[in-house]
Amino acid sequence: MAVPSHPIVFYKNSATIQNPGDPIVIPSIASSPPEVDYEAELVVVIGKACKNATKENALDFVAGYTVANDVSARRWQGNVRGGSQWCFAKSFDTFCPIGPVVVGKDIIPDPNQLGLSCTLNGTTMQSSSTSDMIFDVPTIIAFLSQGTTLLPGTIILTGTPEGVGFTRQPPVFLTPGDNVSVSVEKIGCLNNPVVSE
């Protein structure tokens, strides 16, 4: 995939939110053959209404940071089933586990200097740093707030590093019985089992 010139934007249905420790549920329409993938991500939590932020003041609108797994059904993402869009593929129920805590921006003054990782059944699948992000957090906030108000409580998933399952040879997808853990330095570890619908 070519490096984009601007952040790629998609929305996730609010029903995707899942608690730490509760299961990621693979829907029947994304189960045969397996296609559901993990994505370790840093999450920005907006603390006050933000519109037309600049890169220089973007962090002023941040309340804090947390961890998410941007679970994705790959065949529904793109042309095979999804009509070239990403929203449906990423918006099945439980496809956005988030937590375990929100850490204030006073504890994390620079969100682009954090280690992040994903393990699947104890095996490290992703291990990187937010310093390797294509777009840093201020750039993402400034881009998303152009002509658009980001309300308090808005969460922004900031992108995933290399190592996702569909890029591996052979591909690795989530299956019932798996346990997936996403960690971000200074925030904590988000653990979720995987079950079928």
Side-chain angles (χ1 to χ4, degrees):
M1 181 176 179
V3 175
S5 57
H6 302 288
I8 295 171
V9 179
F10 56 87
Y11 293 88
K12 288 178 83 86
N13 172 8
S14 59
T16 63
I17 298 295
Q18 183 58 299
N19 298 312
D22 287 345
I24 296 165
V25 181
I26 297 175
S28 58
I29 63 168
S31 63
S32 183
E35 64 172 290
V36 176
D37 208 347
Y38 52 83
E39 293 188 10
E41 304 207 16
L42 170 71
V43 177
V44 178
V45 181
I46 296 297
K48 58 184 179 180
C50 172
K51 184 175 181 179
N52 297 323
T54 64
K55 187 171 178 179
E56 291 70 32
N57 72 6
L59 296 184
D60 295 344
F61 298 94
V62 173
Y65 305 94
T66 190
V67 182
N69 187 345
D70 181 17
V71 181
S72 306
R74 296 300 185 194
R75 273 180 288 279
W76 287 97
Q77 182 180 350
N79 293 325
V80 176
R81 295 178 180 167
S84 301
Q85 56 74 44
W86 291 15
C87 295
F88 192 61
K90 291 173 172 282
S91 285
F92 295 117
D93 291 355
T94 75
F95 269 30
C96 190
I98 191 167
V101 296
V102 175
V103 175
K105 65 179 179 181
D106 55 327
I107 305 297
I108 302 176
D110 184 354
N112 286 104
Q113 295 295 326
L114 303 171
L116 76 163
S117 64
C118 177
T119 63
L120 179 60
N121 301 323
T123 299
T124 299
M125 309 302 283
Q126 296 180 281
S127 181
S128 190
S129 170
T130 56
S131 63
D132 290 333
M133 289 167 53
I134 297 171
F135 302 101
D136 63 18
V137 170
T139 298
I140 293 169
I141 295 170
F143 181 84
L144 292 176
S145 68
Q146 297 174 101
T148 302
T149 302
L150 305 178
L151 295 173
T154 297
I155 61 172
I156 303 169
L157 282 66
T158 57
T160 196
E162 67 282 352
V164 292
F166 84 99
T167 65
R168 293 176 171 270
Q169 294 301 325
V172 175
F173 294 116
L174 301 179
T175 57
D178 284 345
N179 191 282
V180 60
S181 300
V182 175
S183 297
V184 177
E185 182 182 0
K186 298 185 180 180
I187 300 174
C189 184
L190 170 67
N191 298 295
N192 297 93
V194 180
V195 301
S196 58
E197 187 173 50

